Amino acid sequence: MVEEECRRYRPTKNYLEHLPPLNISSFETQIMHNEFERLQNRLPMETISMKRYELPPPPSGKLNELSAWAECVDNSHAQLEHQAVRILNLQLMMEYCCPAWQRYIQTLQDMEKKASKKLATLRQALQEVNWQRKSLQTKGGDQLKSLEAKWVALVSHNYEIEQACVMAEEYIQRVKQDPELINTQTVPSNSVQ
């Protein structure tokens, strides 16, 4: 869809001209920069130096010196100790790593269950609040309709009373002008009782 839109949309001007130029290399570290240069020059990758694991004999000129051999023996002891520590770490990891990870995963699962329960509780409380609001608003709407109907009835009744009063006043005015009308006419029939 994007490709289709790009084919149809042909901008008439550069709509990105207000933006600064893109700096692609801003995230690169010096190591990355050196590696990109190596790749660009098609140079082979440097191999891992195993020099620290080698146990070289003393130089040929010092083969008869005891101190040179002592230095080589110290180096071999350091290398052996380093390898022993690595083996010990691997053994400890094999023995304790799985149970530790299982405890960690169990802890995470327990935390997730607690969070899920709390979320469900909060959602239930939110639902209850919404139902209460809806109930109150529905009751309020019904009350408003009832009060409006009463108001309309009272206004209609007041209008009827006002009409009856006007007719009574007209009748009184006519009677005042001609007192003999009292015997011949009756009170208007649509008067309020």
Side-chain angles (χ1 to χ4, degrees):
M1 290 171 65
V2 171
E3 289 173 357
E4 182 182 327
E5 180 68 23
C6 287
R7 273 188 256 125
R8 282 190 275 141
Y9 176 68
R10 300 283 183 222
T12 55
K13 66 175 190 170
N14 184 3
Y15 58 92
L16 300 176
E17 63 188 10
H18 68 283
L19 297 175
L22 187 61
N23 186 2
I24 298 174
S25 62
S26 64
F27 68 95
E28 291 180 8
T29 62
Q30 186 61 38
I31 295 172
M32 292 173 70
H33 182 69
N34 294 342
E35 187 63 18
F36 288 144
E37 279 185 13
R38 183 193 65 77
L39 289 171
Q40 191 173 15
N41 295 333
R42 297 180 187 263
L43 297 174
M45 184 185 291
E46 293 180 20
T47 57
I48 296 176
S49 174
M50 300 299 283
K51 192 157 187 100
R52 67 182 284 191
Y53 301 111
E54 293 176 359
L55 297 173
S60 59
K62 296 185 177 182
L63 286 176
N64 293 331
E65 291 183 18
L66 187 60
S67 63
W69 281 103
E71 188 177 319
C72 288
V73 169
D74 287 344
N75 183 27
S76 65
H77 281 287
Q79 293 297 328
L80 283 173
E81 191 62 34
H82 177 70
Q83 294 300 327
V85 168
R86 290 182 69 191
I87 290 170
L88 181 62
N89 282 337
L90 287 172
Q91 288 172 345
L92 288 171
M93 188 178 73
M94 295 289 284
E95 186 175 343
Y96 297 109
C97 186
C98 289
W101 270 105
Q102 287 172 347
R103 281 194 304 274
Y104 176 69
I105 290 171
Q106 185 62 44
T107 302
L108 287 178
Q109 287 174 343
D110 292 344
M111 289 171 63
E112 189 267 337
K113 285 178 186 175
K114 286 179 184 177
S116 295
K117 285 181 182 177
K118 187 172 184 177
L119 177 64
T121 303
L122 289 174
R123 283 188 175 159
Q124 181 65 31
L126 180 65
Q127 188 70 23
E128 288 175 11
V129 166
N130 286 337
W131 280 111
Q132 288 174 354
R133 285 181 183 167
K134 183 178 180 181
S135 175
L136 287 173
Q137 289 174 358
T138 304
K139 286 178 184 176
D142 292 342
Q143 244 181 343
L144 283 174
K145 285 179 185 175
S146 170
L147 291 173
E148 186 178 11
K150 275 185 182 179
W151 179 78
V152 168
L154 288 173
V155 167
S156 299
H157 188 66
N158 283 347
Y159 179 71
E160 290 173 2
I161 291 172
E162 285 178 11
Q163 280 187 332
C165 287
V166 168
M167 291 176 71
E169 286 176 3
E170 287 176 3
Y171 177 74
I172 290 171
Q173 285 298 327
R174 282 186 301 195
V175 167
K176 281 183 180 178
Q177 290 174 356
D178 189 7
E180 292 181 7
L181 288 175
I182 295 178
N183 296 334
T184 57
Q185 286 188 347
T186 58
V187 179
S189 61
N190 61 353
S191 64
V192 177
Q193 299 177 6

